Amino acid sequence: MYKLGVIGGMGPLATVNFYEKIVLNTDAHKDNEHIDLIVLNHSTMPDRTKCIIENRKTEFLDAIRKDFETLEKIGVNTVAIPCNTSHYFYDEFKNFTNLKIINMIEETILEIKDRGIKKIAVFGTLGTLNSKVYEKYADKYGVEVKEISLEDKNSVMDIIYNIKETNNLENTDFIEILNRYCDDETIGIIACTELSLLDIDKKINTIDALNVLVNKSIELSGASVKK
């Protein structure tokens, strides 16, 4: 019955944003033209960055395995996980289920490659950056990754966790960081779904991995993305 299963809660406000984008970007003109989907808002999921950095991977994998089992019982066709950091475990996810799992990291790199862009800068959690999950696919598809300073990495991490703690979306510091790295040659990847909540000037050369996931989720659910 359900086309799409969403493993969310990482964090909750980002999951709300993802679902809203699915609705707003589906080419539908009445209720029953929208996608049948189910959202598991697993907000008590162990912190992904801590599990990676502190080598506590089993703690996270044991928790998310149950969500895949739930979605299999429900009978969804495709799974979307609106959390960049969690995709470090993508290969393990595939061992948990035969369901189609959208790889938002790889899909984002493919979108960038299709646009003819050859250089990226990645903005996300320390878990995402230190695990080099974006570099894995950038190397695969011949895309260069511009290094971000340790100071800016830590600042972005602080911004992300401040959003999680306060839901305050007024942040000019992140825009200043983007402007240091994004130019005509380098596209900045918004690689954390908390950062996706911020209002980013369209003049800054960026691509939001969450938007890529939204579009792919709509397409794989048999609907069309609104033009």
Side-chain angles (χ1 to χ4, degrees):
M1 176 182 178
Y2 293 99
K3 297 288 187 181
L4 182 68
V6 181
I7 301 179
M10 303 174 280
L13 189 59
T15 302
V16 171
N17 185 37
F18 174 74
Y19 181 40
E20 182 179 48
K21 284 176 178 285
I22 289 282
V23 174
L24 294 177
N25 288 282
T26 300
D27 188 11
H29 305 281
K30 51 187 177 182
D31 292 349
N32 58 22
E33 291 181 350
H34 281 277
I35 297 166
D36 289 329
L37 63 83
I38 189 159
V39 179
L40 303 181
N41 195 61
H42 194 165
S43 56
T44 58
M45 195 85 75
D47 185 283
R48 283 64 60 198
T49 291
K50 288 183 179 179
C51 286
I52 292 170
I53 293 176
E54 298 174 8
N55 197 26
R56 291 158 42 199
K57 301 174 186 178
T58 303
E59 183 179 338
F60 172 73
L61 290 171
D62 285 347
I64 200 169
R65 182 199 298 265
K66 297 174 183 177
D67 293 327
F68 286 111
E69 292 172 354
T70 298
L71 292 176
E72 280 198 339
K73 290 176 183 176
I74 292 169
V76 305
N77 295 339
T78 305
V79 179
I81 308 172
C83 170
N84 287 262
T85 309
S86 70
H87 282 69
Y88 169 74
F89 303 98
Y90 183 80
D91 290 338
E92 282 90 343
F93 295 164
K94 290 191 296 182
N95 293 327
F96 293 161
T97 182
N98 291 320
L99 297 173
K100 166 68 177 177
I101 309 169
I102 303 171
N103 188 331
M104 71 186 298
I105 310 297
E106 185 169 21
E107 293 294 343
T108 301
I109 295 296
L110 284 169
E111 173 68 22
I112 289 167
K113 183 177 174 62
D114 287 346
R115 295 185 189 183
I117 300 169
K118 297 182 179 180
K119 186 180 294 186
I120 62 173
V122 184
F123 303 93
T125 65
L126 292 177
T128 296
L129 301 183
N130 290 353
S131 67
K132 297 188 180 298
V133 63
Y134 270 95
E135 280 83 347
K136 173 182 177 181
Y137 294 101
D139 290 345
K140 180 178 179 180
Y141 295 107
V143 176
E144 180 183 346
V145 182
K146 181 186 287 188
E147 184 65 25
I148 295 174
S149 73
L150 180 59
E151 180 181 0
D152 285 336
K153 286 180 181 179
N154 288 328
S155 294
V156 171
M157 187 70 171
D158 289 342
I159 291 166
I160 291 167
Y161 276 79
N162 182 64
I163 294 171
K164 288 179 179 290
E165 180 180 353
T166 68
N167 291 329
N168 182 359
L169 304 181
E170 296 179 7
N171 197 301
T172 58
D173 293 343
F174 184 54
I175 303 304
E176 293 178 4
I177 293 171
L178 287 176
N179 280 321
R180 283 200 281 275
Y181 298 93
C182 303
D183 51 37
D184 292 340
E185 291 185 351
T186 304
I187 191 167
I189 300 179
I190 308 305
C192 176
T193 51
E194 269 71 44
L195 299 177
S196 300
L197 294 162
L198 300 176
D199 186 18
I200 298 171
D201 193 328
K202 293 181 179 180
K203 293 179 181 178
I204 304 175
N205 190 18
T206 63
I207 181 172
D208 193 333
L210 184 67
N211 291 339
V212 174
L213 180 63
V214 166
N215 291 345
K216 201 68 181 178
S217 297
I218 293 169
E219 291 169 358
L220 289 176
S221 299
S224 297
V225 178
K226 189 177 291 183
K227 302 294 185 181

PDB file of all heavy atoms in Angstrom, residues 39-63:
ATOM      1  N   VAL A  39       5.999   7.605   7.904  1.00  0.00           N
ATOM      2  CA  VAL A  39       7.183   8.178   8.537  1.00  0.00           C
ATOM      3  C   VAL A  39       7.387   7.544   9.913  1.00  0.00           C
ATOM      4  O   VAL A  39       6.483   7.584  10.753  1.00  0.00           O
ATOM      5  CB  VAL A  39       7.058   9.709   8.687  1.00  0.00           C
ATOM      6  CG1 VAL A  39       8.292  10.274   9.382  1.00  0.00           C
ATOM      7  CG2 VAL A  39       6.850  10.378   7.330  1.00  0.00           C
ATOM      8  N   LEU A  40       8.559   6.962  10.116  1.00  0.00           N
ATOM      9  CA  LEU A  40       8.947   6.487  11.443  1.00  0.00           C
ATOM     10  C   LEU A  40       9.829   7.567  12.067  1.00  0.00           C
ATOM     11  O   LEU A  40      10.991   7.706  11.705  1.00  0.00           O
ATOM     12  CB  LEU A  40       9.716   5.169  11.342  1.00  0.00           C
ATOM     13  CG  LEU A  40       9.014   4.004  10.629  1.00  0.00           C
ATOM     14  CD1 LEU A  40       9.915   2.773  10.636  1.00  0.00           C
ATOM     15  CD2 LEU A  40       7.672   3.689  11.278  1.00  0.00           C
ATOM     16  N   ASN A  41       9.268   8.320  12.981  1.00  0.00           N
ATOM     17  CA  ASN A  41      10.027   9.421  13.585  1.00  0.00           C
ATOM     18  C   ASN A  41      10.803   8.889  14.790  1.00  0.00           C
ATOM     19  O   ASN A  41      10.444   9.103  15.941  1.00  0.00           O
ATOM     20  CB  ASN A  41       9.099  10.560  14.005  1.00  0.00           C
ATOM     21  CG  ASN A  41       9.871  11.829  14.284  1.00  0.00           C
ATOM     22  OD1 ASN A  41      10.528  12.357  13.401  1.00  0.00           O
ATOM     23  ND2 ASN A  41       9.802  12.326  15.512  1.00  0.00           N
ATOM     24  N   HIS A  42      11.904   8.200  14.484  1.00  0.00           N
ATOM     25  CA  HIS A  42      12.695   7.521  15.519  1.00  0.00           C
ATOM     26  C   HIS A  42      13.675   8.514  16.147  1.00  0.00           C
ATOM     27  O   HIS A  42      14.881   8.429  15.940  1.00  0.00           O
ATOM     28  CB  HIS A  42      13.435   6.345  14.876  1.00  0.00           C
ATOM     29  CG  HIS A  42      14.010   5.385  15.861  1.00  0.00           C
ATOM     30  ND1 HIS A  42      14.442   4.126  15.514  1.00  0.00           N
ATOM     31  CD2 HIS A  42      14.229   5.488  17.204  1.00  0.00           C
ATOM     32  CE1 HIS A  42      14.905   3.508  16.573  1.00  0.00           C
ATOM     33  NE2 HIS A  42      14.795   4.309  17.613  1.00  0.00           N
ATOM     34  N   SER A  43      13.132   9.413  16.947  1.00  0.00           N
ATOM     35  CA  SER A  43      13.945  10.505  17.496  1.00  0.00           C
ATOM     36  C   SER A  43      14.890  10.051  18.602  1.00  0.00           C
ATOM     37  O   SER A  43      15.854  10.753  18.930  1.00  0.00           O
ATOM     38  CB  SER A  43      13.041  11.628  18.016  1.00  0.00           C
ATOM     39  OG  SER A  43      12.121  11.134  18.963  1.00  0.00           O
ATOM     40  N   THR A  44      14.658   8.871  19.186  1.00  0.00           N
ATOM     41  CA  THR A  44      15.557   8.361  20.234  1.00  0.00           C
ATOM     42  C   THR A  44      16.738   7.587  19.642  1.00  0.00           C
ATOM     43  O   THR A  44      17.498   6.970  20.387  1.00  0.00           O
ATOM     44  CB  THR A  44      14.799   7.453  21.220  1.00  0.00           C
ATOM     45  OG1 THR A  44      14.197   6.358  20.498  1.00  0.00           O
ATOM     46  CG2 THR A  44      13.711   8.233  21.951  1.00  0.00           C
ATOM     47  N   MET A  45      16.900   7.656  18.339  1.00  0.00           N
ATOM     48  CA  MET A  45      18.030   7.008  17.676  1.00  0.00           C
ATOM     49  C   MET A  45      19.352   7.517  18.268  1.00  0.00           C
ATOM     50  O   MET A  45      19.505   8.713  18.514  1.00  0.00           O
ATOM     51  CB  MET A  45      18.009   7.331  16.181  1.00  0.00           C
ATOM     52  CG  MET A  45      18.894   6.447  15.345  1.00  0.00           C
ATOM     53  SD  MET A  45      18.096   4.911  14.879  1.00  0.00           S
ATOM     54  CE  MET A  45      16.976   5.493  13.595  1.00  0.00           C
ATOM     55  N   PRO A  46      20.327   6.645  18.509  1.00  0.00           N
ATOM     56  CA  PRO A  46      21.630   7.105  19.012  1.00  0.00           C
ATOM     57  C   PRO A  46      22.259   8.137  18.068  1.00  0.00           C
ATOM     58  O   PRO A  46      22.076   8.059  16.847  1.00  0.00           O
ATOM     59  CB  PRO A  46      22.463   5.815  19.049  1.00  0.00           C
ATOM     60  CG  PRO A  46      21.455   4.718  19.178  1.00  0.00           C
ATOM     61  CD  PRO A  46      20.253   5.176  18.399  1.00  0.00           C
ATOM     62  N   ASP A  47      22.995   9.071  18.648  1.00  0.00           N
ATOM     63  CA  ASP A  47      23.641  10.122  17.862  1.00  0.00           C
ATOM     64  C   ASP A  47      24.615   9.503  16.863  1.00  0.00           C
ATOM     65  O   ASP A  47      25.527   8.765  17.236  1.00  0.00           O
ATOM     66  CB  ASP A  47      24.377  11.080  18.799  1.00  0.00           C
ATOM     67  CG  ASP A  47      24.976  12.263  18.070  1.00  0.00           C
ATOM     68  OD1 ASP A  47      26.027  12.084  17.416  1.00  0.00           O
ATOM     69  OD2 ASP A  47      24.404  13.364  18.138  1.00  0.00           O
ATOM     70  N   ARG A  48      24.410   9.816  15.579  1.00  0.00           N
ATOM     71  CA  ARG A  48      25.201   9.201  14.522  1.00  0.00           C
ATOM     72  C   ARG A  48      26.662   9.609  14.586  1.00  0.00           C
ATOM     73  O   ARG A  48      27.569   8.771  14.435  1.00  0.00           O
ATOM     74  CB  ARG A  48      24.629   9.578  13.143  1.00  0.00           C
ATOM     75  CG  ARG A  48      23.378   8.822  12.746  1.00  0.00           C
ATOM     76  CD  ARG A  48      22.180   9.081  13.616  1.00  0.00           C
ATOM     77  NE  ARG A  48      21.809  10.500  13.596  1.00  0.00           N
ATOM     78  CZ  ARG A  48      21.044  11.095  14.501  1.00  0.00           C
ATOM     79  NH1 ARG A  48      20.621  10.436  15.561  1.00  0.00           N
ATOM     80  NH2 ARG A  48      20.731  12.377  14.402  1.00  0.00           N
ATOM     81  N   THR A  49      26.930  10.888  14.808  1.00  0.00           N
ATOM     82  CA  THR A  49      28.313  11.354  14.866  1.00  0.00           C
ATOM     83  C   THR A  49      29.071  10.697  16.016  1.00  0.00           C
ATOM     84  O   THR A  49      30.205  10.232  15.850  1.00  0.00           O
ATOM     85  CB  THR A  49      28.360  12.887  15.004  1.00  0.00           C
ATOM     86  OG1 THR A  49      27.891  13.476  13.778  1.00  0.00           O
ATOM     87  CG2 THR A  49      29.773  13.376  15.270  1.00  0.00           C
ATOM     88  N   LYS A  50      28.457  10.635  17.181  1.00  0.00           N
ATOM     89  CA  LYS A  50      29.115  10.013  18.334  1.00  0.00           C
ATOM     90  C   LYS A  50      29.382   8.530  18.066  1.00  0.00           C
ATOM     91  O   LYS A  50      30.438   8.008  18.436  1.00  0.00           O
ATOM     92  CB  LYS A  50      28.260  10.180  19.591  1.00  0.00           C
ATOM     93  CG  LYS A  50      28.239  11.599  20.136  1.00  0.00           C
ATOM     94  CD  LYS A  50      27.442  11.681  21.420  1.00  0.00           C
ATOM     95  CE  LYS A  50      27.440  13.101  21.968  1.00  0.00           C
ATOM     96  NZ  LYS A  50      26.640  13.208  23.220  1.00  0.00           N
ATOM     97  N   CYS A  51      28.435   7.861  17.428  1.00  0.00           N
ATOM     98  CA  CYS A  51      28.619   6.433  17.146  1.00  0.00           C
ATOM     99  C   CYS A  51      29.781   6.199  16.187  1.00  0.00           C
ATOM    100  O   CYS A  51      30.504   5.201  16.313  1.00  0.00           O
ATOM    101  CB  CYS A  51      27.332   5.839  16.573  1.00  0.00           C
ATOM    102  SG  CYS A  51      26.028   5.609  17.804  1.00  0.00           S
ATOM    103  N   ILE A  52      29.982   7.124  15.248  1.00  0.00           N
ATOM    104  CA  ILE A  52      31.091   6.994  14.302  1.00  0.00           C
ATOM    105  C   ILE A  52      32.415   7.325  14.983  1.00  0.00           C
ATOM    106  O   ILE A  52      33.374   6.547  14.938  1.00  0.00           O
ATOM    107  CB  ILE A  52      30.874   7.904  13.074  1.00  0.00           C
ATOM    108  CG1 ILE A  52      29.688   7.405  12.244  1.00  0.00           C
ATOM    109  CG2 ILE A  52      32.140   7.956  12.209  1.00  0.00           C
ATOM    110  CD1 ILE A  52      29.252   8.360  11.155  1.00  0.00           C
ATOM    111  N   ILE A  53      32.474   8.476  15.630  1.00  0.00           N
ATOM    112  CA  ILE A  53      33.732   8.953  16.220  1.00  0.00           C
ATOM    113  C   ILE A  53      34.172   8.084  17.390  1.00  0.00           C
ATOM    114  O   ILE A  53      35.364   7.815  17.564  1.00  0.00           O
ATOM    115  CB  ILE A  53      33.586  10.428  16.650  1.00  0.00           C
ATOM    116  CG1 ILE A  53      33.428  11.331  15.403  1.00  0.00           C
ATOM    117  CG2 ILE A  53      34.789  10.877  17.481  1.00  0.00           C
ATOM    118  CD1 ILE A  53      33.178  12.788  15.718  1.00  0.00           C
ATOM    119  N   GLU A  54      33.210   7.624  18.188  1.00  0.00           N
ATOM    120  CA  GLU A  54      33.531   6.834  19.380  1.00  0.00           C
ATOM    121  C   GLU A  54      33.485   5.327  19.112  1.00  0.00           C
ATOM    122  O   GLU A  54      33.544   4.527  20.045  1.00  0.00           O
ATOM    123  CB  GLU A  54      32.562   7.199  20.511  1.00  0.00           C
ATOM    124  CG  GLU A  54      32.662   8.662  20.930  1.00  0.00           C
ATOM    125  CD  GLU A  54      31.608   9.060  21.950  1.00  0.00           C
ATOM    126  OE1 GLU A  54      30.886   8.157  22.447  1.00  0.00           O
ATOM    127  OE2 GLU A  54      31.489  10.262  22.242  1.00  0.00           O
ATOM    128  N   ASN A  55      33.389   4.953  17.838  1.00  0.00           N
ATOM    129  CA  ASN A  55      33.376   3.546  17.424  1.00  0.00           C
ATOM    130  C   ASN A  55      32.301   2.750  18.164  1.00  0.00           C
ATOM    131  O   ASN A  55      32.542   1.648  18.681  1.00  0.00           O
ATOM    132  CB  ASN A  55      34.761   2.913  17.647  1.00  0.00           C
ATOM    133  CG  ASN A  55      34.932   1.606  16.879  1.00  0.00           C
ATOM    134  OD1 ASN A  55      34.277   1.406  15.852  1.00  0.00           O
ATOM    135  ND2 ASN A  55      35.782   0.735  17.370  1.00  0.00           N
ATOM    136  N   ARG A  56      31.083   3.330  18.181  1.00  0.00           N
ATOM    137  CA  ARG A  56      29.920   2.668  18.789  1.00  0.00           C
ATOM    138  C   ARG A  56      28.892   2.361  17.710  1.00  0.00           C
ATOM    139  O   ARG A  56      27.694   2.598  17.873  1.00  0.00           O
ATOM    140  CB  ARG A  56      29.327   3.573  19.867  1.00  0.00           C
ATOM    141  CG  ARG A  56      30.210   3.737  21.088  1.00  0.00           C
ATOM    142  CD  ARG A  56      29.884   4.992  21.874  1.00  0.00           C
ATOM    143  NE  ARG A  56      28.450   5.226  22.016  1.00  0.00           N
ATOM    144  CZ  ARG A  56      27.915   6.408  22.324  1.00  0.00           C
ATOM    145  NH1 ARG A  56      28.695   7.454  22.509  1.00  0.00           N
ATOM    146  NH2 ARG A  56      26.617   6.539  22.444  1.00  0.00           N
ATOM    147  N   LYS A  57      29.358   1.850  16.596  1.00  0.00           N
ATOM    148  CA  LYS A  57      28.506   1.655  15.419  1.00  0.00           C
ATOM    149  C   LYS A  57      27.368   0.674  15.689  1.00  0.00           C
ATOM    150  O   LYS A  57      26.250   0.859  15.208  1.00  0.00           O
ATOM    151  CB  LYS A  57      29.357   1.165  14.245  1.00  0.00           C
ATOM    152  CG  LYS A  57      30.471   2.119  13.865  1.00  0.00           C
ATOM    153  CD  LYS A  57      31.381   1.528  12.800  1.00  0.00           C
ATOM    154  CE  LYS A  57      32.576   2.432  12.539  1.00  0.00           C
ATOM    155  NZ  LYS A  57      33.507   1.866  11.540  1.00  0.00           N
ATOM    156  N   THR A  58      27.658  -0.371  16.446  1.00  0.00           N
ATOM    157  CA  THR A  58      26.648  -1.402  16.710  1.00  0.00           C
ATOM    158  C   THR A  58      25.426  -0.816  17.399  1.00  0.00           C
ATOM    159  O   THR A  58      24.287  -1.229  17.139  1.00  0.00           O
ATOM    160  CB  THR A  58      27.243  -2.532  17.562  1.00  0.00           C
ATOM    161  OG1 THR A  58      28.375  -3.078  16.882  1.00  0.00           O
ATOM    162  CG2 THR A  58      26.225  -3.632  17.796  1.00  0.00           C
ATOM    163  N   GLU A  59      25.645   0.172  18.266  1.00  0.00           N
ATOM    164  CA  GLU A  59      24.554   0.803  19.007  1.00  0.00           C
ATOM    165  C   GLU A  59      23.546   1.417  18.043  1.00  0.00           C
ATOM    166  O   GLU A  59      22.322   1.269  18.200  1.00  0.00           O
ATOM    167  CB  GLU A  59      25.130   1.880  19.933  1.00  0.00           C
ATOM    168  CG  GLU A  59      24.107   2.567  20.813  1.00  0.00           C
ATOM    169  CD  GLU A  59      24.760   3.605  21.723  1.00  0.00           C
ATOM    170  OE1 GLU A  59      25.976   3.500  21.969  1.00  0.00           O
ATOM    171  OE2 GLU A  59      24.043   4.518  22.161  1.00  0.00           O
ATOM    172  N   PHE A  60      24.045   2.124  17.030  1.00  0.00           N
ATOM    173  CA  PHE A  60      23.159   2.740  16.037  1.00  0.00           C
ATOM    174  C   PHE A  60      22.539   1.697  15.118  1.00  0.00           C
ATOM    175  O   PHE A  60      21.328   1.720  14.845  1.00  0.00           O
ATOM    176  CB  PHE A  60      23.924   3.767  15.203  1.00  0.00           C
ATOM    177  CG  PHE A  60      23.150   4.306  14.041  1.00  0.00           C
ATOM    178  CD1 PHE A  60      22.103   5.192  14.237  1.00  0.00           C
ATOM    179  CD2 PHE A  60      23.453   3.925  12.746  1.00  0.00           C
ATOM    180  CE1 PHE A  60      21.368   5.685  13.163  1.00  0.00           C
ATOM    181  CE2 PHE A  60      22.736   4.407  11.668  1.00  0.00           C
ATOM    182  CZ  PHE A  60      21.686   5.289  11.874  1.00  0.00           C
ATOM    183  N   LEU A  61      23.342   0.757  14.660  1.00  0.00           N
ATOM    184  CA  LEU A  61      22.857  -0.245  13.706  1.00  0.00           C
ATOM    185  C   LEU A  61      21.775  -1.128  14.324  1.00  0.00           C
ATOM    186  O   LEU A  61      20.799  -1.483  13.654  1.00  0.00           O
ATOM    187  CB  LEU A  61      24.023  -1.091  13.194  1.00  0.00           C
ATOM    188  CG  LEU A  61      25.006  -0.358  12.274  1.00  0.00           C
ATOM    189  CD1 LEU A  61      26.230  -1.225  12.006  1.00  0.00           C
ATOM    190  CD2 LEU A  61      24.332   0.043  10.968  1.00  0.00           C
ATOM    191  N   ASP A  62      21.916  -1.475  15.590  1.00  0.00           N
ATOM    192  CA  ASP A  62      20.894  -2.290  16.261  1.00  0.00           C
ATOM    193  C   ASP A  62      19.563  -1.540  16.331  1.00  0.00           C
ATOM    194  O   ASP A  62      18.489  -2.155  16.233  1.00  0.00           O
ATOM    195  CB  ASP A  62      21.349  -2.666  17.673  1.00  0.00           C
ATOM    196  CG  ASP A  62      22.420  -3.751  17.673  1.00  0.00           C
ATOM    197  OD1 ASP A  62      22.626  -4.372  16.610  1.00  0.00           O
ATOM    198  OD2 ASP A  62      23.049  -3.959  18.730  1.00  0.00           O
ATOM    199  N   ALA A  63      19.649  -0.217  16.507  1.00  0.00           N
ATOM    200  CA  ALA A  63      18.428   0.582  16.615  1.00  0.00           C
ATOM    201  C   ALA A  63      17.729   0.726  15.264  1.00  0.00           C
ATOM    202  O   ALA A  63      16.515   0.543  15.154  1.00  0.00           O
ATOM    203  CB  ALA A  63      18.762   1.967  17.184  1.00  0.00           C
TER     204      ALA A  63
END
